[in-house]
Amino acid sequence: MNESDLSAIFGCLVSLVILGGLVALAVFLVRKSNEESKKTELMYSQLAQKLPQDKQGIFLMQYNNTRKDPTTAVLLALFLGGIGGHKFYLGQTGLGVLYLLFCWTMIPGVIALFEAFSLPLQVSKFNQKKMQEIANMLGVY
């Protein structure tokens, strides 16, 4: 084997290690987001039970239209975070545009990687806030 063959093999191995690390990180964060989803769904079911029967359908429909999935947010942060994919998904258009404008610096990608760890909690809070807003709109609380 010559030196160019060894560098090619080394390059492939480094790429595989990076890809494997990214997949392992994604699996860890998806599990974490599923735990947060379960907590939010418990709160949702408790709130829905308190509603009068005639308002439960409206609540369900409006909540399902506005709620965000933490797994989707985490995966967007990991794979499209450098261009602000997760920010656009969460309705933070201004920050999404800012990420998009500076994507060439790779700084938004690094920030998105760190944000991926806090996204399940952020999405859970977003969903809980939307639940409360819908319940208030329906005149329950």
Side-chain angles (χ1 to χ4, degrees):
M1 279 191 190
N2 59 24
E3 189 175 317
S4 65
D5 289 341
L6 289 175
S7 66
I9 291 172
F10 181 73
C12 287
L13 286 175
V14 168
S15 298
L16 285 174
V17 167
I18 290 172
L19 184 61
L22 192 57
V23 167
L25 180 63
V27 168
F28 169 75
L29 290 172
V30 165
R31 285 185 182 159
K32 184 178 172 186
S33 69
N34 286 338
E35 291 171 10
E36 285 299 324
S37 274
K38 288 177 185 176
K39 291 177 187 175
T40 303
E41 292 304 316
L42 178 63
M43 182 183 169
Y44 164 76
S45 64
Q46 290 171 347
L47 187 60
Q49 289 174 356
K50 294 178 182 177
L51 291 169
Q53 192 71 17
D54 60 331
K55 294 185 179 183
Q56 285 181 359
I58 297 169
F59 179 78
L60 173 69
M61 185 173 49
Q62 293 212 351
Y63 176 66
N64 284 334
N65 286 336
T66 60
R67 78 175 197 80
K68 303 296 182 187
D69 182 39
T71 302
T72 303
V74 165
L75 292 176
L76 284 171
L78 288 177
F79 297 107
L80 295 176
I83 59 172
H86 62 297
K87 295 296 184 183
F88 287 112
Y89 178 69
L90 293 174
Q92 300 171 343
T93 309
L95 284 173
V97 169
L98 192 65
Y99 275 51
L100 197 54
L101 288 174
F102 289 98
C103 67
W104 61 274
T105 66
M106 297 179 63
I107 293 171
V110 172
I111 294 171
L113 183 64
F114 287 109
E115 284 181 328
F117 288 96
S118 66
L119 275 175
L121 186 59
Q122 287 179 18
V123 172
S124 179
K125 288 180 180 179
F126 175 87
N127 287 339
Q128 290 173 10
K129 180 181 172 191
K130 290 298 177 181
M131 271 189 258
Q132 291 298 326
E133 288 175 3
I134 295 168
N136 289 338
M137 185 185 69
L138 293 172
V140 176
Y141 291 100

